[in-house]
């Protein structure tokens, strides 16, 4: 999500992010959400970690492609 005033349905998207990063959410939900919004990449930084404690490191459908001291960028793998 982006800036609250520049993002359509900001509150709903924020709730989706919180569910996405909730460690009790299953990977099927996460994978479906990424594909339904057409995400090619997942940006993971300190601010993102405030949404929940789930880490994308263990997700079979995400591949780290760029890592810096503060950000990891994951590529979303195709469903096939």
């Amino acid at each position: 999500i982006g800036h609250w005033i520049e993002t359509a349905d900001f509150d709903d998207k924020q709730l989706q992010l919180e569910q996405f990063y909730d460690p009790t959410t299953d990977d099927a939900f996460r994978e479906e959400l990424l594909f339904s919004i057409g995400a090619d990449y997942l940006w993971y930084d300190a601010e993102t970690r405030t949404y929940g404690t789930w880490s994308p490191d263990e997700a079979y459908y995400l591949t780290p492609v760029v890592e810096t001291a503060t950000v990891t960028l994951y590529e979303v793998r195709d469903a096939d």
Side-chain angles (χ1 to χ4, degrees):
I1 61 177
H3 188 270
W4 69 270
I5 202 164
E6 297 172 348
T7 302
D9 303 317
F10 179 85
D11 292 335
D12 291 337
K13 289 177 181 167
Q14 187 165 8
L15 289 173
Q16 285 179 323
L17 277 177
E18 290 169 4
Q19 184 176 358
F20 186 92
Y21 286 103
D22 183 325
T24 64
T25 298
D26 63 28
D27 277 329
F29 171 85
R30 292 185 186 100
E31 190 173 17
E32 176 58 33
L33 178 61
L34 291 169
F35 289 120
S36 72
I37 65 173
D40 292 321
Y41 296 95
L42 178 77
W43 179 276
Y44 191 64
D45 63 4
E47 184 174 343
T48 307
R49 289 179 188 91
T50 66
Y51 287 107
T53 59
W54 175 79
S55 172
D57 286 335
E58 300 167 16
Y60 63 88
Y61 47 89
L62 298 172
T63 304
V65 291
V66 176
E67 295 184 58
T68 71
T70 58
V71 174
T72 303
L73 185 65
Y74 293 86
E75 185 173 26
V76 178
R77 293 177 32 191
D78 277 342
D80 40 335

